[in-house]
């Protein structure tokens, strides 16, 4: 039987993240299902499949392979499918690591979201409360909108949209003691690899920033917030 919480991790070029994240699940006592979404054209595809073979039989884990859609496209594709059967959906990057605490992070997520439509995020030790670089939400949000992040985005600014959604529907919670560490070069916790260079290039920053402002100011956010507020009203 599937867990009620699925964590979706789009990943590319970092097969070493798979055992590291599974270890983080073990270290934290997490029971949430974990889905790795891998590109068919990933140059490290063979290494990913080797990790899959090692982890065969772990009921928490799933791996999917598909056409490269970039981070936002891959997340949306998997989230829309998963929203049909899971109560809660979460996103982490392949460079996020949940950390042990008195109460397991996935249990905190379930507890926080059990009261109805909403969004929750923890402390990534980089952006903190300012930005949900890893996020969890009730699956009805994805069902209502048809996506987990605006599809005009490619890699950046998804977290800004999640903040806008949560604040706009009045249902967002930051848990400072729920640590989901972001091992990012900006925090000097990772080397700058090809993936970071691509998604943080001036061209990508410019494109995703423009797409975000168009979504926020061009009517897209208002349309989505109307749907989200209706969800909250119906659940009251």
């Amino acid at each position: 039987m599937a867990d009620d919480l699925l964590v979706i991790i789009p990943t590319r070029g970092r097969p070493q993240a798979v055992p590291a994240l599974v270890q983080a699940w073990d270290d934290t006592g997490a029971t949430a299902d974990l889905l790795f979404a891998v590109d068919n054209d990933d140059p490290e595809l063979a290494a990913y499949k080797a990790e899959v073979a090692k982890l065969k039989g772990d009921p928490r884990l799933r791996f999917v392979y598909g056409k490269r859609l970039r981070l936002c496209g891959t997340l949306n594709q998997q989230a829309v499918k998963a929203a049909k059967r899971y109560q809660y959906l979460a996103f982490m990057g392949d460079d996020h690591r949940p950390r042990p605490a008195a109460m397991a992070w996935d249990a905190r997520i379930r507890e926080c979201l059990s009261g109805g439509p909403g969004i929750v995020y923890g402390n990534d030790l980089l952006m903190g409360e300012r930005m949900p670089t890893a996020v969890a939400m009730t699956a009805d949000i994805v069902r209502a909108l048809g996506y987990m992040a605006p599809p005009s985005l490619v890699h950046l600014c998804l977290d800004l949209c999640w903040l806008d959604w949560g604040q706009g529907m009045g249902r967002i919670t930051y848990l400072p003691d729920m640590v989901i560490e972001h091992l990012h070069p900006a925090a000097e916790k990772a080397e700058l690899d090809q993936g970071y260079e691509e998604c943080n290039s001036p061209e990508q920053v410019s494109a995703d920033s423009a797409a975000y402002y168009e979504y926020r100011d061009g009517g897209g956010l208002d349309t989505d917030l109307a749907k989200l507020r209706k969800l909250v009203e119906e659940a009251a």
Side-chain angles (χ1 to χ4, degrees), residues 141-172:
I141 290 176
V142 176
R143 292 193 294 268
L145 300 182
Y147 47 74
M148 193 166 173
S152 57
L153 300 174
V154 172
H155 191 103
L156 305 173
C157 302
L158 284 70
D159 33 31
L160 297 178
C161 294
W162 295 326
L163 202 59
D164 289 337
W165 291 355
Q167 291 174 343
M169 65 193 291
R171 299 294 293 267
I172 189 166

